[in-house]
Coordinates of all heavy atoms in Angstrom, one line a residue:
M16 N 0.8 -1.2 0.0 CA 0.0 0.0 0.0 C 0.9 1.2 0.0 O 1.7 1.4 0.9 CB -0.9 0.0 1.2 CG -1.9 1.0 1.3 SD -2.9 0.9 2.8 CE -4.4 1.5 2.3
K17 N 0.7 2.1 -1.0 CA 1.6 3.3 -1.1 C 0.7 4.5 -1.2 O -0.5 4.4 -1.7 CB 2.4 3.2 -2.4 CG 3.4 2.1 -2.4 CD 4.6 2.5 -1.6 CE 5.7 1.5 -1.7 NZ 6.9 1.8 -0.9
F18 N 1.2 5.6 -0.7 CA 0.5 6.9 -0.7 C 1.2 7.9 -1.6 O 2.4 7.8 -1.7 CB 0.3 7.4 0.7 CG -0.4 6.5 1.6 CD1 0.2 5.5 2.3 CD2 -1.8 6.6 1.7 CE1 -0.5 4.6 3.1 CE2 -2.5 5.8 2.6 CZ -1.9 4.8 3.2
C19 N 0.5 8.8 -2.2 CA 1.1 9.7 -3.1 C 1.8 10.8 -2.4 O 1.3 11.4 -1.5 CB 0.0 10.3 -4.0 SG -0.5 9.2 -5.4
C20 N 3.0 11.1 -3.0 CA 3.8 12.3 -2.5 C 3.1 13.6 -3.0 O 2.8 13.6 -4.2 CB 5.2 12.1 -3.0 SG 6.2 13.6 -2.9
P21 N 2.9 14.6 -2.2 CA 2.3 15.8 -2.7 C 3.3 16.6 -3.5 O 2.9 17.6 -4.2 CB 2.0 16.6 -1.4 CG 2.9 16.0 -0.4 CD 3.2 14.6 -0.7
H22 N 4.6 16.3 -3.5 CA 5.5 17.0 -4.4 C 5.5 16.5 -5.8 O 5.3 17.2 -6.8 CB 6.9 16.9 -3.8 CG 7.1 17.7 -2.5 ND1 7.3 19.0 -2.4 CD2 7.1 17.2 -1.2 CE1 7.4 19.4 -1.1 NE2 7.3 18.3 -0.4
C23 N 5.9 15.2 -5.9 CA 6.0 14.6 -7.3 C 4.8 13.8 -7.7 O 4.8 13.3 -8.9 CB 7.3 13.7 -7.3 SG 7.2 12.3 -6.2
K24 N 3.8 13.7 -6.9 CA 2.5 13.1 -7.2 C 2.7 11.6 -7.5 O 1.8 11.0 -8.2 CB 1.8 13.8 -8.4 CG 1.7 15.3 -8.3 CD 0.7 15.7 -7.3 CE 0.6 17.2 -7.3 NZ 0.4 17.8 -6.1
K25 N 3.8 11.0 -7.1 CA 4.0 9.5 -7.4 C 3.7 8.8 -6.1 O 3.9 9.3 -5.0 CB 5.4 9.3 -7.8 CG 5.7 9.8 -9.2 CD 7.2 9.5 -9.5 CE 7.6 10.2 -10.8 NZ 9.1 10.3 -10.9
P26 N 3.2 7.5 -6.2 CA 2.8 6.8 -5.0 C 4.1 6.2 -4.4 O 4.5 5.1 -4.6 CB 1.9 5.7 -5.5 CG 2.3 5.5 -7.0 CD 2.7 6.9 -7.4
T27 N 4.8 7.0 -3.6 CA 6.1 6.6 -3.0 C 6.1 6.4 -1.5 O 7.0 5.9 -1.0 CB 7.2 7.7 -3.4 OG1 6.7 8.9 -2.9 CG2 7.4 7.7 -4.9
L28 N 5.1 7.0 -0.8 CA 5.1 6.9 0.6 C 4.6 5.6 1.1 O 3.6 5.1 0.7 CB 4.2 8.0 1.2 CG 4.7 9.5 1.0 CD1 3.6 10.4 1.5 CD2 6.0 9.7 1.6
S29 N 5.4 5.0 2.0 CA 5.0 3.7 2.6 C 4.0 3.9 3.7 O 3.7 5.0 4.1 CB 6.2 3.0 3.1 OG 6.7 3.7 4.3
L30 N 3.4 2.8 4.1 CA 2.4 2.8 5.1 C 3.0 3.4 6.4 O 2.4 4.2 7.1 CB 1.8 1.4 5.4 CG 0.7 1.3 6.4 CD1 -0.6 2.0 5.8 CD2 0.3 -0.1 6.7
K31 N 4.2 3.0 6.7 CA 4.9 3.4 7.9 C 5.1 4.9 7.9 O 4.9 5.7 8.9 CB 6.2 2.7 8.1 CG 6.9 3.1 9.4 CD 8.3 2.4 9.4 CE 9.1 2.9 10.6 NZ 10.5 2.6 10.6
Q32 N 5.6 5.4 6.7 CA 5.8 6.9 6.6 C 4.5 7.7 6.7 O 4.5 8.7 7.4 CB 6.5 7.2 5.2 CG 7.9 6.8 5.1 CD 8.5 7.1 3.7 OE1 7.9 6.7 2.7 NE2 9.6 7.8 3.7
K33 N 3.4 7.1 6.1 CA 2.2 7.8 6.2 C 1.7 7.9 7.7 O 1.2 8.9 8.1 CB 1.1 7.1 5.3 CG -0.2 7.7 5.3 CD -0.2 9.0 4.5 CE -1.6 9.6 4.4 NZ -2.1 10.3 5.6
Y34 N 1.9 6.7 8.4 CA 1.5 6.7 9.8 C 2.3 7.7 10.6 O 1.7 8.3 11.5 CB 1.7 5.2 10.3 CG 1.2 5.0 11.7 CD1 -0.1 4.9 12.0 CD2 2.1 5.0 12.8 CE1 -0.6 4.7 13.3 CE2 1.7 4.9 14.0 CZ 0.3 4.7 14.3 OH -0.1 4.6 15.6
L35 N 3.6 7.8 10.3 CA 4.4 8.7 11.1 C 4.0 10.2 10.9 O 4.1 11.0 11.8 CB 5.9 8.5 10.7 CG 6.6 7.3 11.3 CD1 8.0 7.2 10.7 CD2 6.6 7.3 12.8
T36 N 3.5 10.5 9.7 CA 3.1 11.9 9.5 C 1.9 12.2 10.4 O 1.7 13.3 10.9 CB 2.6 12.2 8.0 OG1 1.5 11.3 7.7 CG2 3.7 12.0 7.1
G37 N 1.1 11.2 10.7 CA 0.0 11.3 11.6 C 0.4 11.5 13.1 O -0.4 11.7 14.0
K38 N 1.7 11.3 13.4 CA 2.2 11.4 14.7 C 3.1 12.7 14.8 O 4.1 12.7 15.5 CB 3.0 10.2 15.2 CG 2.2 8.9 15.1 CD 1.1 9.0 16.1 CE 0.2 7.7 16.0 NZ -1.1 7.9 16.6
W39 N 2.7 13.7 14.0 CA 3.4 15.0 14.0 C 4.9 14.8 13.5 O 5.7 15.7 13.9 CB 3.4 15.7 15.3 CG 2.0 16.1 15.7 CD1 1.2 15.3 16.5 CD2 1.2 17.2 15.3 NE1 -0.1 15.9 16.6 CE2 0.0 17.1 15.9 CE3 1.5 18.3 14.5 CZ2 -1.0 18.1 15.8 CZ3 0.6 19.3 14.4 CH2 -0.7 19.2 15.0
R40 N 5.2 13.8 12.8 CA 6.6 13.7 12.2 C 6.6 14.2 10.8 O 5.6 14.1 10.1 CB 7.0 12.2 12.3 CG 7.0 11.6 13.7 CD 8.3 11.9 14.4 NE 9.5 11.4 13.7 CZ 10.0 10.2 13.8 NH1 9.5 9.3 14.6 NH2 11.1 9.8 13.1
E41 N 7.8 14.6 10.4 CA 7.9 15.0 9.0 C 8.7 13.8 8.3 O 9.5 13.2 8.9 CB 8.7 16.3 8.8 CG 10.1 16.3 9.4 CD 10.8 17.6 9.3 OE1 10.1 18.6 9.6 OE2 11.9 17.6 8.9
V42 N 8.3 13.5 7.1 CA 9.0 12.5 6.3 C 9.5 13.0 5.0 O 9.1 14.1 4.6 CB 8.1 11.2 6.1 CG1 7.7 10.6 7.4 CG2 6.8 11.6 5.3
Y43 N 10.4 12.3 4.4 CA 10.9 12.7 3.1 C 10.6 11.7 2.0 O 10.7 10.5 2.3 CB 12.5 12.8 3.2 CG 12.9 14.0 4.2 CD1 13.0 13.7 5.5 CD2 13.0 15.2 3.7 CE1 13.4 14.7 6.4 CE2 13.4 16.3 4.6 CZ 13.6 16.0 5.9 OH 13.9 17.0 6.8
C44 N 10.2 12.2 0.9 CA 9.8 11.3 -0.2 C 11.1 10.6 -0.7 O 12.1 11.2 -1.0 CB 9.2 12.2 -1.3 SG 8.9 11.2 -2.9
P45 N 11.0 9.3 -0.8 CA 12.2 8.6 -1.3 C 12.5 8.8 -2.8 O 13.7 8.6 -3.2 CB 11.9 7.1 -1.1 CG 10.4 7.0 -0.8 CD 10.0 8.4 -0.5
E46 N 11.6 9.3 -3.5 CA 11.8 9.6 -5.0 C 12.4 11.0 -5.2 O 13.4 11.1 -5.8 CB 10.4 9.4 -5.7 CG 10.4 9.6 -7.2 CD 10.9 8.4 -7.9 OE1 10.9 7.3 -7.3 OE2 11.2 8.5 -9.1
C47 N 11.7 12.0 -4.7 CA 12.1 13.4 -5.0 C 12.8 14.1 -3.8 O 13.3 15.2 -3.9 CB 10.9 14.2 -5.5 SG 9.7 14.5 -4.2
G48 N 12.7 13.5 -2.6 CA 13.3 14.1 -1.4 C 12.5 15.2 -0.8 O 13.0 15.9 0.1
G49 N 11.3 15.4 -1.3 CA 10.4 16.4 -0.8 C 10.0 16.2 0.7 O 9.9 15.1 1.1
R50 N 9.9 17.3 1.4 CA 9.6 17.3 2.8 C 8.1 17.2 3.0 O 7.4 18.1 2.4 CB 10.2 18.5 3.5 CG 10.6 18.3 4.9 CD 11.5 19.5 5.3 NE 11.2 19.8 6.6 CZ 11.0 21.1 7.1 NH1 11.1 22.1 6.3 NH2 10.8 21.2 8.4
I51 N 7.5 16.3 3.7 CA 6.1 16.1 3.8 C 5.6 16.0 5.3 O 6.3 15.4 6.1 CB 5.7 14.8 3.1 CG1 6.2 14.8 1.7 CG2 4.2 14.5 3.2 CD1 6.3 13.4 1.0
C52 N 4.5 16.6 5.6 CA 3.9 16.4 6.9 C 2.4 16.2 6.7 O 1.9 16.5 5.6 CB 4.1 17.6 7.8 SG 3.3 19.1 7.2
A53 N 1.7 15.9 7.7 CA 0.2 15.7 7.6 C -0.4 17.1 7.6 O 0.2 18.1 8.2 CB -0.3 14.9 8.8
Q54 N -1.6 17.3 7.1 CA -2.3 18.6 7.1 C -2.5 19.0 8.5 O -3.2 18.3 9.3 CB -3.6 18.4 6.3 CG -4.0 19.6 5.5 CD -4.5 20.7 6.4 OE1 -5.0 20.5 7.4 NE2 -4.2 21.9 5.9
P55 N -1.9 20.1 9.0 CA -1.8 20.4 10.4 C -3.2 20.6 11.0 O -3.4 20.2 12.2 CB -1.0 21.7 10.5 CG -0.4 21.9 9.1 CD -1.1 21.1 8.1
I56 N -4.2 21.2 10.3 CA -5.5 21.5 11.0 C -6.2 20.1 11.2 O -6.8 19.9 12.3 CB -6.3 22.5 10.1 CG1 -5.6 23.8 10.1 CG2 -7.7 22.6 10.7 CD1 -6.2 24.8 9.1
V57 N -6.2 19.3 10.2 CA -6.8 18.0 10.3 C -6.2 17.2 11.5 O -6.8 16.5 12.3 CB -6.8 17.2 9.0 CG1 -7.4 15.8 9.2 CG2 -7.5 17.9 7.9
L58 N -4.8 17.3 11.5 CA -4.1 16.6 12.5 C -4.4 17.1 13.9 O -4.4 16.3 14.9 CB -2.6 16.7 12.2 CG -1.6 15.7 12.9 CD1 -2.1 14.3 12.7 CD2 -0.2 15.9 12.3
A59 N -4.6 18.4 14.0 CA -4.9 19.0 15.3 C -6.2 18.5 15.8 O -6.4 18.2 17.0 CB -4.9 20.5 15.2
V60 N -7.2 18.4 14.9 CA -8.5 17.8 15.3 C -8.4 16.4 15.7 O -8.9 16.0 16.7 CB -9.5 18.0 14.1 CG1 -10.8 17.3 14.4 CG2 -9.8 19.4 13.8
L61 N -7.6 15.6 15.0 CA -7.4 14.2 15.3 C -6.7 14.1 16.7 O -7.1 13.2 17.5 CB -6.6 13.5 14.3 CG -7.3 12.9 13.1 CD1 -6.4 12.4 12.0 CD2 -8.2 11.8 13.5
S62 N -5.8 14.9 16.9 CA -5.0 14.9 18.2 C -6.0 15.2 19.4 O -5.8 14.7 20.4 CB -3.9 15.9 18.2 OG -2.9 15.5 17.2
F63 N -6.9 16.2 19.1 CA -7.9 16.5 20.1 C -8.7 15.2 20.5 O -8.9 14.9 21.7 CB -8.8 17.6 19.7 CG -10.1 17.7 20.5 CD1 -10.0 18.4 21.8 CD2 -11.3 17.1 20.2 CE1 -11.1 18.5 22.6 CE2 -12.4 17.2 21.0 CZ -12.3 17.9 22.2
F64 N -9.1 14.4 19.5 CA -9.9 13.2 19.7 C -9.0 12.1 20.4 O -9.6 11.4 21.2 CB -10.5 12.7 18.4 CG -11.8 13.5 18.1 CD1 -11.8 14.4 17.0 CD2 -12.9 13.5 18.9 CE1 -12.9 15.1 16.7 CE2 -14.0 14.2 18.6 CZ -14.0 15.1 17.5
Y65 N -7.7 12.0 20.0 CA -6.9 11.1 20.7 C -6.8 11.4 22.2 O -7.0 10.5 23.1 CB -5.4 11.2 20.2 CG -5.1 10.3 19.0 CD1 -4.8 10.9 17.8 CD2 -5.1 8.9 19.1 CE1 -4.5 10.1 16.7 CE2 -4.8 8.2 18.0 CZ -4.5 8.8 16.8 OH -4.2 8.0 15.7
T66 N -6.7 12.7 22.5 CA -6.6 13.1 23.9 C -7.9 12.9 24.6 O -7.9 12.3 25.8 CB -6.2 14.6 24.0 OG1 -5.1 14.9 23.2 CG2 -6.0 15.1 25.4
W67 N -9.0 13.2 24.0 CA -10.3 13.0 24.5 C -10.6 11.5 24.8 O -11.1 11.2 25.9 CB -11.4 13.6 23.5 CG -12.8 13.3 23.9 CD1 -13.5 14.0 24.8 CD2 -13.6 12.3 23.4 NE1 -14.8 13.5 24.9 CE2 -14.9 12.5 24.0 CE3 -13.5 11.3 22.4 CZ2 -16.0 11.6 23.7 CZ3 -14.5 10.5 22.1 CH2 -15.8 10.7 22.8
D68 N -10.2 10.7 23.9 CA -10.4 9.2 24.0 C -9.6 8.7 25.2 O -10.2 8.0 26.1 CB -9.8 8.6 22.7 CG -10.0 7.0 22.7 OD1 -11.1 6.6 23.1 OD2 -9.0 6.3 22.4
V69 N -8.4 9.1 25.4 CA -7.5 8.6 26.5 C -8.0 9.2 27.8 O -8.2 8.5 28.8 CB -6.1 9.0 26.2 CG1 -5.2 8.7 27.5 CG2 -5.5 8.2 25.1
M70 N -8.3 10.5 27.8 CA -8.8 11.1 29.1 C -10.1 10.6 29.6 O -10.2 10.2 30.7 CB -8.9 12.7 28.9 CG -7.6 13.4 28.5 SD -6.5 13.6 29.9 CE -7.2 15.0 30.7
L71 N -11.1 10.5 28.7 CA -12.4 10.1 29.1 C -12.5 8.6 29.4 O -12.8 8.2 30.5 CB -13.4 10.4 28.0 CG -14.9 10.0 28.3 CD1 -15.4 10.7 29.5 CD2 -15.8 10.1 27.1
F72 N -12.1 7.8 28.4 CA -12.3 6.3 28.6 C -11.2 5.8 29.6 O -11.4 4.8 30.3 CB -12.3 5.6 27.3 CG -13.5 6.0 26.5 CD1 -13.4 6.6 25.3 CD2 -14.8 5.6 27.0 CE1 -14.5 7.0 24.6 CE2 -15.9 6.0 26.3 CZ -15.8 6.7 25.1
G73 N -10.0 6.4 29.6 CA -8.9 6.0 30.5 C -9.4 6.3 31.9 O -9.2 5.4 32.8
Y74 N -10.0 7.5 32.1 CA -10.5 7.8 33.5 C -11.6 6.9 33.9 O -11.5 6.3 35.0 CB -11.0 9.3 33.5 CG -11.6 9.6 34.8 CD1 -10.8 9.9 35.9 CD2 -13.0 9.7 34.9 CE1 -11.4 10.2 37.1 CE2 -13.6 10.0 36.1 CZ -12.8 10.3 37.2 OH -13.4 10.6 38.4
V75 N -12.5 6.6 33.0 CA -13.7 5.8 33.4 C -13.2 4.3 33.6 O -13.6 3.7 34.6 CB -14.8 5.8 32.3 CG1 -15.9 4.8 32.6 CG2 -15.3 7.2 32.2
A76 N -12.2 3.9 32.8 CA -11.7 2.5 33.0 C -11.0 2.4 34.3 O -11.2 1.4 35.0 CB -10.7 2.2 31.9
L77 N -10.3 3.4 34.7 CA -9.6 3.3 36.0 C -10.5 3.5 37.2 O -10.4 2.8 38.2 CB -8.5 4.4 36.1 CG -7.2 4.2 35.3 CD1 -6.3 5.3 35.4 CD2 -6.5 2.9 35.7
A78 N -11.5 4.4 37.0 CA -12.4 4.7 38.1 C -13.3 3.5 38.4 O -13.6 3.2 39.6 CB -13.3 5.9 37.8
K79 N -13.8 2.8 37.3 CA -14.7 1.7 37.5 C -13.9 0.4 37.5 O -14.6 -0.7 37.6 CB -15.7 1.7 36.4 CG -16.6 2.9 36.4 CD -17.8 2.7 35.4 CE -18.8 3.8 35.6 NZ -20.2 3.4 35.4
H80 N -12.6 0.4 37.4 CA -11.8 -0.9 37.3 C -12.4 -1.8 36.2 O -12.7 -3.0 36.5 CB -11.7 -1.6 38.6 CG -11.1 -0.8 39.7 ND1 -9.8 -0.5 39.8 CD2 -11.7 -0.1 40.7 CE1 -9.5 0.3 40.8 NE2 -10.7 0.6 41.4
S81 N -12.7 -1.2 35.1 CA -13.4 -1.9 34.0 C -12.6 -2.2 32.8 O -12.0 -1.2 32.2 CB -14.7 -1.0 33.6 OG -15.2 -1.5 32.4
W82 N -12.5 -3.4 32.4 CA -11.8 -3.8 31.2 C -12.6 -3.4 30.0 O -12.1 -3.2 28.9 CB -11.5 -5.3 31.1 CG -10.3 -5.6 32.0 CD1 -10.4 -6.2 33.2 CD2 -8.9 -5.3 31.8 NE1 -9.1 -6.3 33.8 CE2 -8.2 -5.8 32.9 CE3 -8.2 -4.8 30.7 CZ2 -6.8 -5.7 33.0 CZ3 -6.8 -4.7 30.8 CH2 -6.2 -5.1 31.9
F83 N -13.9 -3.3 30.1 CA -14.8 -2.9 29.0 C -14.4 -1.5 28.5 O -14.2 -1.3 27.3 CB -16.3 -2.9 29.4 CG -17.2 -2.3 28.4 CD1 -17.5 -3.1 27.2 CD2 -17.7 -1.1 28.5 CE1 -18.3 -2.6 26.3 CE2 -18.5 -0.5 27.5 CZ -18.8 -1.3 26.4
Y84 N -14.3 -0.5 29.4 CA -13.9 0.8 29.0 C -12.5 0.9 28.5 O -12.2 1.7 27.6 CB -14.2 1.8 30.1 CG -15.7 2.1 30.3 CD1 -16.4 1.5 31.4 CD2 -16.3 2.8 29.4 CE1 -17.7 1.8 31.5 CE2 -17.7 3.1 29.5 CZ -18.4 2.5 30.6 OH -19.7 2.7 30.7
F85 N -11.6 0.0 29.0 CA -10.3 0.0 28.5 C -10.4 -0.5 27.0 O -9.6 0.0 26.1 CB -9.4 -0.9 29.3 CG -8.0 -1.0 28.8 CD1 -7.1 0.1 29.1 CD2 -7.5 -2.0 28.1 CE1 -5.8 0.1 28.6 CE2 -6.2 -2.0 27.6 CZ -5.4 -1.0 27.9
G86 N -11.3 -1.5 26.7 CA -11.5 -1.9 25.4 C -12.0 -0.8 24.5 O -11.6 -0.7 23.3
V87 N -12.9 0.0 25.0 CA -13.5 1.1 24.3 C -12.4 2.1 23.9 O -12.3 2.6 22.8 CB -14.6 1.8 25.1 CG1 -15.0 3.1 24.4 CG2 -15.8 0.9 25.3
L88 N -11.5 2.3 24.9 CA -10.3 3.2 24.7 C -9.5 2.7 23.6 O -9.1 3.4 22.6 CB -9.5 3.3 26.0 CG -8.4 4.3 26.1 CD1 -8.0 4.6 27.5 CD2 -7.1 3.9 25.3
A89 N -9.1 1.4 23.6 CA -8.3 0.8 22.6 C -8.9 0.8 21.3 O -8.3 1.1 20.2 CB -7.9 -0.6 23.0
T90 N -10.2 0.5 21.2 CA -11.0 0.5 19.9 C -11.0 1.9 19.4 O -10.8 2.1 18.2 CB -12.4 0.0 20.1 OG1 -12.3 -1.3 20.8 CG2 -13.1 -0.2 18.8
G91 N -11.3 2.9 20.2 CA -11.3 4.3 19.8 C -9.9 4.7 19.2 O -9.8 5.4 18.2
W92 N -8.9 4.2 19.9 CA -7.5 4.6 19.4 C -7.3 4.0 18.0 O -6.7 4.6 17.2 CB -6.5 4.0 20.4 CG -5.1 4.4 20.2 CD1 -4.2 3.8 19.3 CD2 -4.4 5.5 20.8 NE1 -3.0 4.5 19.3 CE2 -3.1 5.5 20.2 CE3 -4.7 6.4 21.7 CZ2 -2.1 6.4 20.6 CZ3 -3.7 7.3 22.1 CH2 -2.5 7.3 21.5
L93 N -7.7 2.7 17.8 CA -7.5 2.0 16.6 C -8.3 2.7 15.4 O -7.8 2.9 14.3 CB -7.9 0.6 16.6 CG -6.9 -0.4 17.3 CD1 -7.5 -1.8 17.5 CD2 -5.6 -0.4 16.6
V94 N -9.5 3.1 15.8 CA -10.4 3.9 14.8 C -9.7 5.2 14.4 O -9.6 5.5 13.2 CB -11.8 4.1 15.3 CG1 -12.5 5.1 14.5 CG2 -12.5 2.8 15.4
L95 N -9.1 5.9 15.4 CA -8.4 7.1 15.1 C -7.2 6.9 14.3 O -6.8 7.7 13.4 CB -8.1 7.8 16.5 CG -9.3 8.5 17.2 CD1 -8.9 8.9 18.6 CD2 -9.8 9.7 16.4
D96 N -6.5 5.8 14.6 CA -5.3 5.5 13.8 C -5.7 5.2 12.3 O -5.0 5.6 11.4 CB -4.6 4.2 14.4 CG -3.5 4.6 15.4 OD1 -3.2 5.9 15.5 OD2 -2.9 3.8 16.0
L97 N -6.8 4.5 12.1 CA -7.3 4.3 10.7 C -7.7 5.6 10.1 O -7.3 5.9 8.9 CB -8.5 3.4 10.7 CG -8.2 1.9 11.0 CD1 -9.4 1.1 11.0 CD2 -7.2 1.4 9.9
L98 N -8.3 6.5 10.8 CA -8.7 7.9 10.3 C -7.4 8.6 10.0 O -7.3 9.4 9.0 CB -9.5 8.6 11.3 CG -11.0 8.2 11.4 CD1 -11.7 9.0 12.5 CD2 -11.7 8.5 10.1
N99 N -6.4 8.4 10.8 CA -5.1 9.1 10.7 C -4.5 8.8 9.3 O -3.9 9.6 8.7 CB -4.2 8.5 11.8 CG -3.2 9.6 12.2 OD1 -3.0 10.5 11.6 ND2 -2.7 9.3 13.4
L100 N -4.7 7.5 8.8 CA -4.1 7.1 7.5 C -4.8 7.8 6.4 O -4.3 7.9 5.3 CB -4.2 5.6 7.4 CG -3.2 4.8 8.3 CD1 -3.4 3.4 8.1 CD2 -1.8 5.2 8.0
T101 N -6.1 8.3 6.6 CA -6.8 9.0 5.6 C -6.5 10.5 5.6 O -7.0 11.3 4.8 CB -8.3 8.8 5.7 OG1 -8.7 9.4 6.9 CG2 -8.6 7.3 5.7
C102 N -5.8 11.0 6.6 CA -5.5 12.4 6.8 C -4.6 12.9 5.6 O -3.6 12.2 5.3 CB -4.7 12.6 8.1 SG -4.2 14.3 8.4
P103 N -5.0 14.0 4.9 CA -4.2 14.4 3.8 C -2.8 14.9 4.2 O -2.6 15.3 5.3 CB -5.1 15.6 3.2 CG -5.9 16.0 4.3 CD -6.1 14.8 5.2
V104 N -1.9 14.8 3.3 CA -0.5 15.3 3.6 C -0.3 16.6 2.8 O -0.9 16.9 1.9 CB 0.5 14.2 3.1 CG1 0.6 13.1 4.1 CG2 0.3 13.8 1.7
S105 N 0.6 17.4 3.4 CA 1.0 18.7 2.9 C 2.4 18.7 2.5 O 3.3 18.0 3.0 CB 0.8 19.8 3.9 OG -0.6 19.8 4.3
R106 N 2.7 19.6 1.5 CA 4.1 19.9 1.1 C 4.7 20.8 2.1 O 4.1 21.7 2.6 CB 4.1 20.5 -0.3 CG 3.6 19.6 -1.4 CD 3.0 20.4 -2.5 NE 3.8 21.5 -2.9 CZ 4.2 21.8 -4.1 NH1 4.0 20.9 -5.1 NH2 4.9 22.8 -4.4
M107 N 6.0 20.6 2.4 CA 6.7 21.5 3.2 C 7.9 22.0 2.4 O 8.4 21.3 1.6 CB 7.2 20.9 4.5 CG 6.1 20.5 5.4 SD 6.8 19.5 6.8 CE 7.5 20.8 7.9
R108 N 8.3 23.3 2.7 CA 9.5 23.8 2.0 C 10.8 23.0 2.5 O 10.7 22.5 3.7 CB 9.7 25.3 2.3 CG 8.8 26.1 1.6 CD 9.1 27.6 1.9 NE 8.8 27.8 3.3 CZ 8.2 28.9 3.8 NH1 7.9 29.8 3.0 NH2 8.0 29.0 5.1
P109 N 11.8 23.0 1.7 CA 13.1 22.4 2.2 C 13.5 23.1 3.5 O 13.2 24.3 3.7 CB 14.1 22.6 1.1 CG 13.3 22.8 -0.1 CD 12.0 23.4 0.4
K110 N 14.3 22.4 4.4 CA 14.6 23.0 5.7 C 15.3 24.3 5.7 O 15.0 25.2 6.4 CB 15.5 22.0 6.4 CG 14.6 21.3 7.5 CD 15.5 20.5 8.5 CE 14.5 20.1 9.5 NZ 14.9 18.8 10.1
N111 N 16.3 24.5 4.7 CA 17.1 25.8 4.8 C 16.7 26.8 3.7 O 17.5 27.5 3.2 CB 18.5 25.5 4.7 CG 19.0 24.7 5.9 OD1 18.6 24.9 7.0 ND2 19.9 23.7 5.7
S112 N 15.4 26.8 3.3 CA 14.9 27.6 2.2 C 14.7 29.1 2.7 O 14.7 30.0 1.8 CB 13.7 27.1 1.6 OG 12.6 27.2 2.5
N113 N 14.6 29.3 4.0 CA 14.3 30.7 4.4 C 15.6 31.3 5.0 O 16.3 30.7 5.8 CB 13.3 30.6 5.6 CG 11.9 30.7 5.1 OD1 11.7 31.0 3.9 ND2 10.9 30.4 5.9
P114 N 15.9 32.5 4.5 CA 17.1 33.2 5.1 C 16.7 33.6 6.6 O 15.6 33.8 6.9 CB 17.3 34.4 4.3 CG 15.9 34.6 3.6 CD 15.3 33.3 3.5
K115 N 17.7 33.5 7.4 CA 17.4 33.8 8.8 C 17.1 35.3 9.0 O 17.7 36.2 8.5 CB 18.6 33.5 9.7 CG 18.5 32.2 10.4 CD 19.5 32.1 11.5 CE 19.3 30.8 12.2 NZ 20.5 30.3 12.8
I116 N 16.1 35.6 9.8 CA 15.7 37.0 10.1 C 16.4 37.4 11.3 O 16.3 36.7 12.4 CB 14.2 37.1 10.2 CG1 13.5 36.6 8.9 CG2 13.8 38.5 10.6 CD1 12.0 36.4 9.1
T117 N 17.2 38.4 11.3 CA 17.9 38.8 12.5 C 17.4 40.2 13.0 O 16.7 40.9 12.3 CB 19.4 38.9 12.2 OG1 19.6 39.7 11.1 CG2 20.0 37.6 12.0
Ligands
LIG208 ZN1 8.0 12.9 -4.1

C-alpha cells in the first residue's frame, strides 16, 4: 500500500511513513526528497480526539476498574489510527529555504 507524495505526485510513501506523518513527524519522499507532513489542521482535530479518547475512557476505565472501558479506549484509538491514515498530507519547504531573520 503506497500513498502519493504531494511534491512529485507519485505513489512513493510507505504505510509506515504515512502513519508517522499522523504522529506529527515529517517524512521525506524517497523519490524526490520532498519534505512532507500531515495537514496540520486535520491533525490538530485528530489529536484532540486522541486526547479526549484517552482522558475520558482512560479515566472511566480506572475509576470503575473496568476492562470494558479499556477496550473502548483501545478500539477508539484504533479507529483514530485508521482515520489518521486518511489524513491528507501537505508539502513543506526544504529545511534551509528561508534566510534567517535577524
Ligand atoms: Zn515525491
